[in-house]
Amino acid sequence: AEAALDHHVVTDNNNSNNESSNSNARLRMEVAQLHSALKDKIQKELHSTAAMETKQQLDLLNEEKSAQQTILTNLKMELDRSNEITTHLQSELENAKSLTRLSEKQFD
């Protein structure tokens, strides 16, 4: 009877150890899953943050590009106007030279 009782105690201890071992294994697995999920979440946040920063930089570059295009357009308009003035002045100079030649011929 004592041997049967010892066998029952040993069996109970083995069951208890198996349950504890199973519980520990289950907890380890849950911790590993949570750790993996946390790593994934952090990775996604890092990508999201990097994407936001890249978008902000792109927006700033686009604003700068737009401002430079406006400046370029204004400079081209100024150049066109300057070319018109130059053409007009060259025409007046040619007229003045022509009048000078006529005047010189009259005095000759």
Side-chain angles (χ1 to χ4, degrees):
E2 193 174 304
L5 185 58
D6 283 344
H7 176 68
H8 181 69
V9 169
V10 169
T11 302
D12 282 348
N13 282 342
N14 283 344
N15 285 345
S16 177
N17 286 343
N18 283 344
E19 287 174 13
S20 177
S21 180
N22 286 341
S23 177
N24 285 342
R26 184 179 50 80
L27 289 174
R28 272 192 227 100
M29 185 180 279
E30 286 179 15
V31 167
Q33 288 173 341
L34 289 172
H35 184 260
S36 178
L38 181 60
K39 276 178 56 178
D40 288 346
K41 184 176 181 177
I42 289 171
Q43 194 71 12
K44 285 178 185 174
E45 283 189 28
L46 286 174
H47 286 309
S48 175
T49 300
M52 281 180 25
E53 288 174 355
T54 301
K55 184 183 180 326
Q56 288 174 341
Q57 289 174 347
L58 183 60
D59 288 345
L60 288 174
L61 288 173
N62 281 333
E63 286 177 21
E64 188 175 324
K65 178 184 172 190
S66 178
Q68 289 176 348
Q69 285 176 329
T70 300
I71 290 170
L72 183 60
T73 299
N74 290 339
L75 287 172
K76 284 180 179 179
M77 288 173 35
E78 284 183 41
L79 177 61
D80 288 344
R81 180 69 180 134
S82 294
N83 287 338
E84 288 174 9
I85 291 170
T86 300
T87 301
H88 176 71
L89 289 175
Q90 283 175 337
S91 175
E92 285 190 10
L93 178 61
E94 291 303 318
N95 286 338
K97 285 180 182 179
S98 178
L99 289 174
T100 302
R101 281 191 298 271
L102 284 174
S103 294
E104 288 173 349
K105 281 185 183 180
Q106 287 179 351
F107 286 113
D108 285 344

